[in-house]
Amino acid sequence: KASNKRCIILNFRGILLEPQQDIATPKQMIKTNMPKEIIQQPSSSSLPLSSLPPLSKLLTIIATTSPIRSNPSTALLEQTFDTFSFAGDEFAYECPKVIVCDGCRIIEDDDNNDDQPSKEEKKQEEDGTNNSNDNNTNAAAPPPKITRKYANVKQTLRNGIATTDQAKNYEEFKVRLKTLCEKANNPPSLENTSKNKKSPFQNTQVVELEERHGYGFALRHALHHNVTTPYVCVIQHDRTFMRPTPITEVVHAMMNDTQQQIKYVGINMRSNLMYHDIFSGKYGRRAVNEFRKMILYPRELCIGGNVYGANGSSVQNMVAPRDEKRRRNMEAYKESYRGSHQCITYEEWLKKKQKYSQSSSAEEQQQQKSKSQKDGYHQLSLTPTLFWYDNTHIVNTAHYHDFIFHPQYKMVARGGFVEDKLSPCMVRSCERLGLKEGHGKFGCYLLDDHSGVVFTGHLDGGSFMSAEAHYSKGDK
Protein backbone atom coordinates (compact mmCIF):
# COMPACT_ATOMS: atom_id res chain seq x y z
CA LYS A 1 0.00 0.00 0.00
CA ALA A 2 1.38 3.36 -0.99
CA SER A 3 2.07 5.86 1.76
CA ASN A 4 1.03 9.50 1.66
CA LYS A 5 3.95 10.56 3.83
CA ARG A 6 6.82 12.50 2.27
CA CYS A 7 10.47 12.24 3.18
CA ILE A 8 13.50 14.39 2.50
CA ILE A 9 16.94 12.86 2.02
CA LEU A 10 19.90 15.06 2.94
CA ASN A 11 23.45 14.23 1.91
CA PHE A 12 26.36 15.90 3.73
CA ARG A 13 29.92 16.02 2.46
CA GLY A 14 32.87 16.91 4.64
CA ILE A 15 36.59 16.45 5.17
CA LEU A 16 37.70 14.36 8.11
CA LEU A 17 41.01 15.64 9.47
CA GLU A 18 43.39 13.18 11.02
CA PRO A 19 44.29 13.88 14.67
CA GLN A 20 47.95 14.56 13.75
CA GLN A 21 46.97 17.31 11.35
CA ASP A 22 44.95 19.43 13.77
CA ILE A 23 47.91 20.59 15.84
CA ALA A 24 51.51 20.58 14.67
CA THR A 25 53.57 18.26 16.82
CA PRO A 26 57.15 19.09 17.84
CA LYS A 27 58.44 16.62 15.23
CA GLN A 28 56.54 18.46 12.51
CA MET A 29 57.98 21.75 13.72
CA ILE A 30 61.50 20.38 13.64
CA LYS A 31 60.98 19.52 9.95
CA THR A 32 60.60 23.25 9.27
CA ASN A 33 63.73 24.07 11.28
CA MET A 34 61.79 26.06 13.87
CA PRO A 35 64.05 27.48 16.62
CA LYS A 36 64.22 25.43 19.82
CA GLU A 37 62.98 28.25 22.04
CA ILE A 38 59.70 28.23 20.09
CA ILE A 39 59.29 24.46 20.18
CA GLN A 40 59.80 24.36 23.95
CA GLN A 41 57.41 27.26 24.55
CA PRO A 42 53.98 26.16 25.93
CA SER A 43 51.07 26.94 23.61
CA SER A 44 49.15 28.72 26.36
CA SER A 45 51.50 31.72 26.54
CA SER A 46 53.15 34.00 24.00
CA LEU A 47 56.82 34.83 23.66
CA PRO A 48 58.03 38.32 24.61
CA LEU A 49 59.27 40.28 21.61
CA SER A 50 62.76 40.61 23.06
CA SER A 51 63.24 36.82 23.13
CA LEU A 52 62.11 36.14 19.55
CA PRO A 53 64.68 34.84 17.05
CA PRO A 54 65.83 37.09 14.19
CA LEU A 55 63.58 37.32 11.16
CA SER A 56 66.09 35.46 9.00
CA LYS A 57 65.52 32.34 11.14
CA LEU A 58 61.76 32.59 10.85
CA LEU A 59 60.97 33.67 7.30
CA THR A 60 61.86 32.57 3.76
CA ILE A 61 60.95 34.71 0.75
CA ILE A 62 59.67 32.84 -2.31
CA ALA A 63 59.50 34.77 -5.59
CA THR A 64 57.86 33.12 -8.59
CA THR A 65 58.60 34.00 -12.21
CA SER A 66 57.80 32.69 -15.69
CA PRO A 67 58.41 33.71 -19.32
CA ILE A 68 57.46 37.31 -20.13
CA ARG A 69 58.06 39.63 -23.06
CA SER A 70 60.83 41.60 -21.33
CA ASN A 71 63.13 38.53 -21.20
CA PRO A 72 66.11 38.21 -21.26
CA SER A 73 66.24 41.44 -19.24
CA THR A 74 66.14 41.05 -15.44
CA ALA A 75 64.83 44.60 -14.94
CA LEU A 76 61.40 43.47 -13.68
CA LEU A 77 62.80 41.31 -10.87
CA GLU A 78 65.40 43.95 -10.02
CA GLN A 79 62.70 46.59 -9.59
CA THR A 80 60.66 44.23 -7.44
CA PHE A 81 63.61 43.25 -5.24
CA ASP A 82 64.70 46.88 -4.85
CA THR A 83 61.45 47.55 -2.97
CA PHE A 84 62.23 44.88 -0.36
CA SER A 85 63.94 47.55 1.75
CA PHE A 86 60.45 48.91 2.52
CA ALA A 87 59.93 45.73 4.58
CA GLY A 88 63.13 46.31 6.58
CA ASP A 89 66.85 45.68 6.08
CA GLU A 90 66.65 42.25 7.69
CA PHE A 91 63.92 41.24 5.25
CA ALA A 92 65.79 42.63 2.25
CA TYR A 93 69.34 41.46 2.92
CA GLU A 94 69.36 38.64 5.49
CA CYS A 95 66.28 36.48 4.97
CA PRO A 96 66.81 33.48 2.66
CA LYS A 97 65.20 33.89 -0.74
CA VAL A 98 64.14 31.40 -3.40
CA ILE A 99 63.36 32.42 -6.98
CA VAL A 100 61.34 29.71 -8.72
CA CYS A 101 61.60 29.82 -12.52
CA ASP A 102 58.65 27.88 -13.90
CA GLY A 103 59.02 25.82 -17.06
CA CYS A 104 57.17 26.49 -20.29
CA ARG A 105 55.69 24.70 -23.27
CA ILE A 106 57.28 25.57 -26.59
CA ILE A 107 55.19 26.07 -29.70
CA GLU A 108 57.20 26.12 -32.92
CA ASP A 109 56.37 28.05 -36.05
CA ASP A 110 54.86 26.15 -38.97
CA ASP A 111 57.74 27.16 -41.24
CA ASN A 112 60.28 25.69 -38.89
CA ASN A 113 58.32 22.48 -38.64
CA ASP A 114 58.40 22.01 -42.41
CA ASP A 115 62.10 22.68 -42.89
CA GLN A 116 63.73 21.42 -39.71
CA PRO A 117 63.37 18.04 -38.00
CA SER A 118 61.99 17.87 -34.49
CA LYS A 119 64.11 17.17 -31.41
CA GLU A 120 62.79 13.60 -31.29
CA GLU A 121 63.72 12.99 -34.94
CA LYS A 122 67.23 14.37 -34.38
CA LYS A 123 67.70 12.03 -31.45
CA GLN A 124 66.49 9.05 -33.48
CA GLU A 125 68.86 9.93 -36.32
CA GLU A 126 71.80 10.09 -33.91
CA ASP A 127 70.84 6.71 -32.43
CA GLY A 128 70.15 5.22 -35.87
CA THR A 129 66.58 4.34 -34.95
CA ASN A 130 64.68 6.75 -37.16
CA ASN A 131 62.03 4.59 -38.88
CA SER A 132 59.57 7.31 -39.72
CA ASN A 133 58.31 5.43 -42.80
CA ASP A 134 57.51 2.26 -40.86
CA ASN A 135 54.23 1.84 -39.05
CA ASN A 136 55.82 0.68 -35.82
CA THR A 137 53.46 0.79 -32.87
CA ASN A 138 56.35 0.80 -30.41
CA ALA A 139 57.82 4.01 -31.84
CA ALA A 140 57.88 7.01 -29.54
CA ALA A 141 54.74 9.10 -29.90
CA PRO A 142 55.22 12.73 -30.97
CA PRO A 143 54.87 15.37 -28.26
CA PRO A 144 51.33 16.67 -27.78
CA LYS A 145 50.45 19.61 -29.96
CA ILE A 146 49.28 22.86 -28.44
CA THR A 147 46.02 23.48 -30.26
CA ARG A 148 44.46 26.14 -28.02
CA LYS A 149 45.16 29.67 -29.18
CA TYR A 150 44.95 32.87 -27.14
CA ALA A 151 44.09 36.39 -28.12
CA ASN A 152 47.52 37.96 -27.61
CA VAL A 153 51.10 37.29 -26.63
CA LYS A 154 50.51 38.34 -23.03
CA GLN A 155 47.75 35.77 -22.52
CA THR A 156 49.74 33.05 -24.28
CA LEU A 157 52.78 33.55 -22.03
CA ARG A 158 50.52 33.74 -18.99
CA ASN A 159 49.47 30.17 -19.77
CA GLY A 160 53.08 28.99 -20.07
CA ILE A 161 53.22 28.82 -23.87
CA ALA A 162 56.26 30.36 -25.57
CA THR A 163 57.66 30.43 -29.07
CA THR A 164 61.17 29.18 -29.80
CA ASP A 165 62.61 32.69 -29.64
CA GLN A 166 60.76 33.48 -26.41
CA ALA A 167 62.05 30.25 -24.86
CA LYS A 168 65.62 31.19 -25.84
CA ASN A 169 65.18 34.61 -24.25
CA TYR A 170 63.85 32.94 -21.11
CA GLU A 171 66.89 30.66 -20.92
CA GLU A 172 69.16 33.69 -21.28
CA PHE A 173 67.15 35.44 -18.57
CA LYS A 174 67.79 32.56 -16.16
CA VAL A 175 71.51 32.68 -16.92
CA ARG A 176 71.62 36.41 -16.18
CA LEU A 177 69.56 35.92 -13.03
CA LYS A 178 71.91 33.26 -11.67
CA THR A 179 74.88 35.51 -12.44
CA LEU A 180 73.17 38.36 -10.58
CA CYS A 181 72.61 36.17 -7.52
CA GLU A 182 76.16 34.78 -7.59
CA LYS A 183 77.64 38.28 -7.60
CA ALA A 184 75.41 39.27 -4.67
CA ASN A 185 76.29 36.12 -2.70
CA ASN A 186 80.02 36.46 -3.47
CA PRO A 187 80.80 40.19 -3.36
CA PRO A 188 84.24 41.49 -4.42
CA SER A 189 87.10 42.13 -2.01
CA LEU A 190 86.26 44.02 1.16
CA GLU A 191 88.61 46.87 0.31
CA ASN A 192 85.86 49.05 -1.14
CA THR A 193 82.96 47.95 1.05
CA SER A 194 81.87 51.54 1.59
CA LYS A 195 81.35 51.93 -2.15
CA ASN A 196 79.61 48.58 -2.61
CA LYS A 197 75.95 48.74 -1.71
CA LYS A 198 74.12 45.74 -0.32
CA SER A 199 72.16 43.79 -2.88
CA PRO A 200 68.65 42.42 -2.18
CA PHE A 201 69.72 39.35 -4.18
CA GLN A 202 71.95 38.25 -1.30
CA ASN A 203 71.11 34.83 0.17
CA THR A 204 69.14 33.99 -2.98
CA GLN A 205 69.01 30.69 -4.82
CA VAL A 206 67.49 30.14 -8.25
CA VAL A 207 65.38 27.02 -8.81
CA GLU A 208 64.69 26.02 -12.43
CA LEU A 209 61.75 23.76 -13.24
CA GLU A 210 62.06 21.71 -16.42
CA GLU A 211 58.33 21.39 -17.04
CA ARG A 212 55.44 23.79 -16.86
CA HIS A 213 53.97 23.62 -13.33
CA GLY A 214 51.93 26.80 -13.07
CA TYR A 215 52.09 29.24 -10.18
CA GLY A 216 50.50 26.93 -7.60
CA PHE A 217 52.60 23.83 -8.20
CA ALA A 218 55.80 25.86 -8.70
CA LEU A 219 55.20 27.32 -5.25
CA ARG A 220 54.55 23.84 -3.88
CA HIS A 221 57.87 22.62 -5.30
CA ALA A 222 59.77 25.41 -3.52
CA LEU A 223 57.94 24.74 -0.24
CA HIS A 224 58.79 21.04 -0.33
CA HIS A 225 62.42 21.32 -1.40
CA ASN A 226 63.81 24.75 -0.51
CA VAL A 227 62.12 26.04 2.64
CA THR A 228 63.19 25.21 6.21
CA THR A 229 61.71 28.17 8.11
CA PRO A 230 58.33 28.14 9.92
CA TYR A 231 56.98 31.02 7.81
CA VAL A 232 57.15 32.03 4.15
CA CYS A 233 56.52 35.29 2.33
CA VAL A 234 55.27 34.62 -1.21
CA ILE A 235 55.84 37.35 -3.80
CA GLN A 236 55.11 37.31 -7.53
CA HIS A 237 57.74 38.72 -9.86
CA ASP A 238 55.74 41.90 -10.58
CA ARG A 239 54.41 42.71 -7.08
CA THR A 240 56.24 45.53 -5.32
CA PHE A 241 56.16 47.19 -1.92
CA MET A 242 54.98 50.79 -2.24
CA ARG A 243 55.85 52.05 1.26
CA PRO A 244 57.27 50.84 4.61
CA THR A 245 55.45 47.64 5.63
CA PRO A 246 55.56 45.91 9.08
CA ILE A 247 56.54 42.42 7.90
CA THR A 248 58.52 41.62 11.07
CA GLU A 249 55.63 42.65 13.32
CA VAL A 250 53.21 40.51 11.30
CA VAL A 251 55.42 37.44 11.76
CA HIS A 252 55.64 38.13 15.50
CA ALA A 253 51.84 38.43 15.68
CA MET A 254 51.47 35.07 13.96
CA MET A 255 53.97 33.45 16.32
CA ASN A 256 52.28 34.78 19.46
CA ASP A 257 48.80 33.80 18.29
CA THR A 258 48.06 31.24 20.97
CA GLN A 259 44.67 30.31 19.46
CA GLN A 260 46.22 29.53 16.05
CA GLN A 261 43.77 31.84 14.30
CA ILE A 262 46.22 33.64 12.00
CA LYS A 263 47.52 31.33 9.29
CA TYR A 264 47.62 33.71 6.33
CA VAL A 265 48.19 37.49 6.26
CA GLY A 266 47.78 39.23 2.92
CA ILE A 267 49.46 42.59 2.39
CA ASN A 268 46.71 44.80 1.05
CA MET A 269 46.48 46.12 -2.50
CA ARG A 270 43.99 48.34 -4.28
CA SER A 271 41.42 45.63 -5.05
CA ASN A 272 41.07 44.55 -1.38
CA LEU A 273 41.87 47.78 0.51
CA MET A 274 38.18 48.10 1.47
CA TYR A 275 37.42 44.40 1.82
CA HIS A 276 34.87 45.07 4.59
CA ASP A 277 32.72 46.85 2.00
CA ILE A 278 33.18 43.99 -0.48
CA PHE A 279 31.94 41.53 2.15
CA SER A 280 29.02 43.81 3.12
CA GLY A 281 27.89 43.97 -0.50
CA LYS A 282 27.77 40.18 -0.86
CA TYR A 283 26.30 39.03 2.44
CA GLY A 284 23.53 40.11 4.81
CA ARG A 285 23.61 42.16 8.00
CA ARG A 286 23.76 39.09 10.22
CA ALA A 287 26.94 37.89 8.51
CA VAL A 288 28.42 41.41 8.66
CA ASN A 289 27.86 41.62 12.42
CA GLU A 290 29.68 38.33 12.91
CA PHE A 291 32.38 39.46 10.45
CA ARG A 292 33.12 42.55 12.56
CA LYS A 293 33.65 40.43 15.66
CA MET A 294 36.28 38.41 13.79
CA ILE A 295 38.53 41.43 13.09
CA LEU A 296 41.76 41.10 15.06
CA TYR A 297 43.90 43.82 16.70
CA PRO A 298 47.10 42.05 17.83
CA ARG A 299 49.27 43.89 20.34
CA GLU A 300 52.31 43.20 18.14
CA LEU A 301 50.72 45.44 15.51
CA CYS A 302 50.38 48.40 17.86
CA ILE A 303 53.44 50.18 16.47
CA GLY A 304 54.94 53.46 17.66
CA GLY A 305 57.18 56.04 16.09
CA ASN A 306 54.42 57.79 14.08
CA VAL A 307 55.05 55.33 11.26
CA TYR A 308 51.58 54.10 10.33
CA GLY A 309 48.18 55.70 9.96
CA ALA A 310 46.91 58.48 7.73
CA ASN A 311 49.58 60.94 8.93
CA GLY A 312 52.38 58.43 9.47
CA SER A 313 55.82 58.49 7.89
CA SER A 314 54.99 55.32 5.94
CA VAL A 315 52.53 57.24 3.74
CA GLN A 316 54.90 60.19 3.43
CA ASN A 317 57.73 57.92 2.25
CA MET A 318 55.55 56.15 -0.29
CA VAL A 319 56.71 55.76 -3.89
CA ALA A 320 55.43 58.89 -5.60
CA PRO A 321 52.93 58.46 -8.46
CA ARG A 322 54.45 58.91 -11.91
CA ASP A 323 52.04 61.56 -13.13
CA GLU A 324 49.48 64.05 -11.90
CA LYS A 325 46.52 61.87 -12.90
CA ARG A 326 47.66 58.98 -10.72
CA ARG A 327 48.31 61.34 -7.83
CA ARG A 328 44.74 62.69 -8.05
CA ASN A 329 43.38 59.14 -8.21
CA MET A 330 45.30 58.20 -5.09
CA GLU A 331 43.94 61.21 -3.20
CA ALA A 332 40.41 60.44 -4.35
CA TYR A 333 40.79 56.84 -3.21
CA LYS A 334 41.91 58.05 0.23
CA GLU A 335 38.78 60.17 0.48
CA SER A 336 36.61 57.21 -0.49
CA TYR A 337 38.31 55.09 2.14
CA ARG A 338 37.41 57.53 4.94
CA GLY A 339 33.73 56.93 4.23
CA SER A 340 33.99 53.15 3.90
CA HIS A 341 32.88 50.49 6.37
CA GLN A 342 36.54 49.46 6.61
CA CYS A 343 37.45 52.81 8.17
CA ILE A 344 34.22 53.43 10.10
CA THR A 345 34.45 50.05 11.85
CA TYR A 346 37.99 50.85 12.97
CA GLU A 347 36.93 54.27 14.33
CA GLU A 348 34.09 52.63 16.28
CA TRP A 349 36.57 50.17 17.76
CA LEU A 350 38.79 53.06 18.87
CA LYS A 351 35.85 54.79 20.58
CA LYS A 352 34.97 51.60 22.46
CA LYS A 353 38.57 51.21 23.53
CA GLN A 354 38.66 54.79 24.85
CA LYS A 355 35.36 54.24 26.65
CA TYR A 356 36.69 51.18 28.47
CA SER A 357 39.83 53.07 29.47
CA GLN A 358 37.76 55.78 31.16
CA SER A 359 37.28 53.49 34.16
CA SER A 360 40.84 54.31 35.24
CA SER A 361 41.69 57.47 37.13
CA ALA A 362 42.06 60.82 35.38
CA GLU A 363 45.79 60.89 36.12
CA GLU A 364 46.37 57.49 34.51
CA GLN A 365 44.31 58.53 31.50
CA GLN A 366 46.42 61.65 31.04
CA GLN A 367 49.64 59.64 31.31
CA GLN A 368 48.46 57.11 28.73
CA LYS A 369 47.31 59.88 26.37
CA SER A 370 50.57 61.83 26.59
CA LYS A 371 52.63 58.67 26.13
CA SER A 372 50.55 57.64 23.12
CA GLN A 373 50.94 61.06 21.51
CA LYS A 374 54.67 61.20 22.27
CA ASP A 375 55.49 57.71 20.99
CA GLY A 376 53.02 57.91 18.10
CA TYR A 377 51.46 54.49 18.57
CA HIS A 378 48.99 53.29 15.98
CA GLN A 379 47.02 50.04 16.00
CA LEU A 380 46.93 48.06 12.76
CA SER A 381 44.20 45.50 12.18
CA LEU A 382 43.78 42.11 10.51
CA THR A 383 40.54 41.89 8.53
CA PRO A 384 39.22 38.36 7.82
CA THR A 385 38.83 37.49 4.16
CA LEU A 386 37.07 34.71 2.28
CA PHE A 387 39.43 35.04 -0.68
CA TRP A 388 42.98 33.68 -0.82
CA TYR A 389 44.84 36.47 -2.63
CA ASP A 390 48.00 35.37 -4.45
CA ASN A 391 49.32 38.89 -3.97
CA THR A 392 52.19 39.30 -1.47
CA HIS A 393 51.30 37.30 1.65
CA ILE A 394 52.83 35.60 4.70
CA VAL A 395 51.76 32.06 5.57
CA ASN A 396 52.58 29.46 8.16
CA THR A 397 54.68 26.90 6.28
CA ALA A 398 52.95 23.98 7.99
CA HIS A 399 49.58 25.37 6.86
CA TYR A 400 50.73 25.21 3.25
CA HIS A 401 52.24 21.74 3.69
CA ASP A 402 49.56 20.01 5.73
CA PHE A 403 46.39 21.67 4.48
CA ILE A 404 46.52 23.84 1.35
CA PHE A 405 48.68 21.43 -0.69
CA HIS A 406 47.46 18.23 0.96
CA PRO A 407 46.96 15.74 -1.90
CA GLN A 408 43.73 14.41 -0.42
CA TYR A 409 41.93 17.77 -0.50
CA LYS A 410 42.95 18.79 -4.08
CA MET A 411 42.35 22.49 -3.46
CA VAL A 412 45.03 23.64 -5.93
CA ALA A 413 44.99 22.67 -9.61
CA ARG A 414 48.11 22.05 -11.67
CA GLY A 415 48.85 24.88 -14.07
CA GLY A 416 46.67 27.40 -12.22
CA PHE A 417 46.84 29.89 -9.39
CA VAL A 418 46.22 29.03 -5.77
CA GLU A 419 43.42 31.58 -5.42
CA ASP A 420 41.43 30.20 -8.37
CA LYS A 421 40.29 26.94 -6.77
CA LEU A 422 41.04 27.56 -3.09
CA SER A 423 38.85 30.64 -2.65
CA PRO A 424 35.61 28.86 -3.66
CA CYS A 425 36.55 26.06 -1.24
CA MET A 426 36.76 28.64 1.52
CA VAL A 427 33.33 30.05 0.70
CA ARG A 428 31.74 26.58 0.65
CA SER A 429 33.38 25.80 3.99
CA CYS A 430 31.74 28.87 5.53
CA GLU A 431 28.37 27.99 3.98
CA ARG A 432 28.57 24.49 5.45
CA LEU A 433 30.09 25.20 8.89
CA GLY A 434 29.21 28.82 9.50
CA LEU A 435 31.31 31.94 9.02
CA LYS A 436 33.57 31.72 12.05
CA GLU A 437 34.23 27.98 12.01
CA GLY A 438 34.45 27.72 8.23
CA HIS A 439 36.90 30.63 8.06
CA GLY A 440 38.93 29.28 10.98
CA LYS A 441 40.14 26.29 8.93
CA PHE A 442 41.86 28.67 6.51
CA GLY A 443 42.70 31.57 8.84
CA CYS A 444 43.04 34.27 6.14
CA TYR A 445 43.41 37.95 7.10
CA LEU A 446 44.35 41.20 5.37
CA LEU A 447 46.70 43.78 6.89
CA ASP A 448 45.46 47.37 7.10
CA ASP A 449 46.84 50.48 8.82
CA HIS A 450 43.68 52.53 8.03
CA SER A 451 45.51 55.22 6.10
CA GLY A 452 43.60 54.64 2.87
CA VAL A 453 46.85 53.86 1.04
CA VAL A 454 47.93 50.44 -0.23
CA PHE A 455 51.09 48.63 0.86
CA THR A 456 51.78 46.86 -2.46
CA GLY A 457 51.60 47.70 -6.15
CA HIS A 458 51.58 45.89 -9.48
CA LEU A 459 54.05 46.35 -12.35
CA ASP A 460 52.07 44.04 -14.69
CA GLY A 461 54.82 41.71 -15.84
CA GLY A 462 52.88 40.68 -18.95
CA SER A 463 53.08 44.23 -20.36
CA PHE A 464 56.38 45.23 -18.74
CA MET A 465 59.09 46.56 -21.04
CA SER A 466 62.70 47.18 -20.05
CA ALA A 467 64.47 50.48 -20.69
CA GLU A 468 66.34 48.85 -23.57
CA ALA A 469 63.07 47.80 -25.21
CA HIS A 470 61.64 51.30 -24.86
CA TYR A 471 64.81 52.79 -26.37
CA SER A 472 64.82 50.38 -29.31
CA LYS A 473 61.13 51.15 -29.88
CA GLY A 474 61.91 54.86 -30.08
CA ASP A 475 60.38 55.92 -26.75
CA LYS A 476 62.32 58.50 -24.75
Side-chain angles (χ1 to χ4, degrees):
K1 184 179 180 180
S3 175
N4 294 328
K5 295 182 180 180
R6 297 181 179 180
C7 64
I8 299 176
I9 300 176
L10 300 177
N11 294 326
F12 295 93
R13 293 183 298 173
I15 298 174
L16 179 62
L17 294 176
E18 299 177 2
Q20 306 84 298
Q21 297 172 355
D22 294 341
I23 301 176
T25 61
K27 291 184 179 180
Q28 293 173 335
M29 294 180 179
I30 292 173
K31 289 181 181 179
T32 59
N33 198 21
M34 185 176 286
K36 294 181 180 179
E37 55 267 28
I38 302 177
I39 297 176
Q40 296 173 356
Q41 183 72 16
S43 60
S44 59
S45 61
S46 60
L47 286 168
L49 298 180
S50 58
S51 63
L52 291 174
L55 187 65
S56 58
K57 301 294 184 182
L58 301 173
L59 185 71
T60 297
I61 303 168
I62 301 179
T64 59
T65 186
S66 57
I68 53 178
R69 289 193 293 181
S70 63
N71 295 147
S73 172
T74 59
L76 177 65
L77 265 180
E78 289 183 46
Q79 288 191 26
T80 300
F81 273 56
D82 285 342
T83 64
F84 283 8
S85 57
F86 279 135
D89 290 344
E90 193 174 4
F91 179 90
Y93 307 119
E94 298 181 19
C95 285
K97 308 176 190 69
V98 180
I99 302 177
V100 187
C101 300
D102 195 10
C104 64
R105 296 171 290 175
I106 301 176
I107 180 171
E108 298 180 355
D109 299 332
D110 294 336
D111 296 338
N112 294 336
N113 290 339
D114 295 336
D115 300 335
Q116 298 178 1
S118 63
K119 295 181 179 180
E120 186 65 27
E121 291 174 350
K122 289 181 179 180
K123 184 177 180 181
Q124 290 178 354
E125 289 177 358
E126 293 175 358
D127 298 338
T129 59
N130 188 1
N131 298 322
S132 57
N133 296 328
D134 299 336
N135 295 326
N136 186 4
T137 57
N138 296 327
K145 295 181 179 181
I146 301 172
T147 57
R148 185 173 181 179
K149 296 182 179 181
Y150 297 92
N152 49 48
V153 177
K154 177 180 176 180
Q155 191 65 23
T156 303
L157 289 173
R158 181 180 175 87
N159 287 273
I161 303 173
T163 63
T164 305
D165 292 338
Q166 290 169 343
K168 290 180 180 178
N169 291 337
Y170 187 49
E171 292 298 324
E172 177 63 23
F173 160 79
K174 290 187 282 187
V175 172
R176 295 185 184 184
L177 181 60
K178 287 188 287 187
T179 302
L180 187 64
C181 296
E182 289 175 1
K183 289 182 178 180
N185 293 328
N186 302 302
S189 60
L190 301 178
E191 296 178 358
N192 299 325
T193 52
S194 59
K195 299 181 181 179
N196 297 328
K197 295 182 180 180
K198 288 185 177 180
S199 171
F201 288 92
Q202 291 178 356
N203 303 318
T204 302
Q205 58 175 318
V206 179
V207 178
E208 299 182 51
L209 303 181
E210 296 181 358
E211 298 179 354
R212 157 78 174 169
H213 284 63
Y215 168 81
F217 275 42
L219 174 59
R220 186 186 70 168
H221 182 278
L223 287 166
H224 287 171
H225 298 91
N226 305 102
V227 176
T228 58
T229 55
Y231 299 94
V232 291
C233 180
V234 183
I235 300 177
Q236 296 177 350
H237 60 179
D238 55 358
R239 296 287 181 174
T240 60
F241 291 99
M242 300 298 294
R243 60 189 178 99
T245 308
I247 296 295
T248 303
E249 289 81 359
V250 169
V251 174
H252 292 170
M254 297 177 72
M255 289 182 59
N256 286 334
D257 178 24
T258 57
Q259 298 181 1
Q260 301 292 317
Q261 292 178 286
I262 311 171
K263 302 179 179 67
Y264 162 106
V265 176
I267 312 302
N268 67 12
M269 55 181 176
R270 182 164 183 174
S271 62
N272 59 24
L273 180 61
M274 294 182 283
Y275 184 80
H276 192 304
D277 298 72
I278 297 174
F279 184 90
S280 302
K282 289 184 177 180
Y283 305 99
R285 182 177 298 179
R286 181 179 177 182
V288 172
N289 292 335
E290 187 175 1
F291 176 86
R292 290 184 176 184
K293 297 177 182 179
M294 295 166 58
I295 300 175
L296 303 180
Y297 303 92
R299 64 179 180 86
E300 292 82 6
L301 295 181
C302 184
I303 304 172
N306 291 310
V307 178
Y308 299 103
N311 300 318
S313 60
S314 176
V315 176
Q316 298 173 4
N317 296 327
M318 182 179 179
V319 177
R322 296 180 179 178
D323 50 40
E324 182 65 20
K325 181 180 179 181
R326 293 185 180 183
R327 189 190 66 81
R328 290 197 303 265
N329 290 341
M330 188 182 73
E331 294 297 327
Y333 210 71
K334 289 170 66 175
E335 289 295 329
S336 300
Y337 179 86
R338 294 188 182 98
S340 66
H341 290 287
Q342 184 85 17
C343 184
I344 294 173
T345 303
Y346 175 73
E347 292 176 351
E348 292 176 353
W349 176 83
L350 283 178
K351 291 180 181 179
K352 290 181 180 180
K353 184 179 179 183
Q354 293 173 358
K355 182 178 179 181
Y356 291 143
S357 64
Q358 290 178 358
S359 58
S360 58
S361 62
E363 184 178 353
E364 292 178 353
Q365 291 181 25
Q366 186 63 27
Q367 290 178 356
Q368 293 177 359
K369 185 177 180 180
S370 60
K371 183 179 179 181
S372 177
Q373 293 177 351
K374 180 180 178 181
D375 298 337
Y377 279 95
H378 182 81
Q379 177 67 59
L380 285 76
S381 67
L382 296 178
T383 305
T385 172
L386 301 186
F387 194 93
W388 184 286
Y389 292 93
D390 285 331
N391 181 47
T392 305
H393 59 276
I394 301 172
V395 184
N396 189 316
T397 306
H399 186 55
Y400 255 136
H401 274 293
D402 303 335
F403 186 65
I404 303 302
F405 287 120
H406 196 289
Q408 179 184 352
Y409 306 149
K410 298 180 181 179
M411 293 188 293
V412 181
R414 185 181 183 88
F417 289 86
V418 177
E419 64 184 21
D420 293 340
K421 193 173 180 181
L422 182 60
S423 300
C425 292
M426 198 184 312
V427 174
R428 290 195 296 268
S429 176
C430 293
E431 292 174 349
R432 184 174 66 252
L433 303 175
L435 180 59
K436 186 174 182 179
E437 187 176 353
H439 174 269
K441 295 168 59 179
F442 298 87
C444 297
Y445 294 87
L446 296 173
L447 178 68
D448 188 12
D449 72 336
H450 310 283
S451 63
V453 181
V454 297
F455 280 115
T456 60
H458 187 207
L459 293 176
D460 190 6
S463 304
F464 182 84
M465 293 179 64
S466 62
E468 298 175 358
H470 280 290
Y471 183 80
S472 62
K473 192 178 179 180
D475 300 336
K476 296 183 179 180

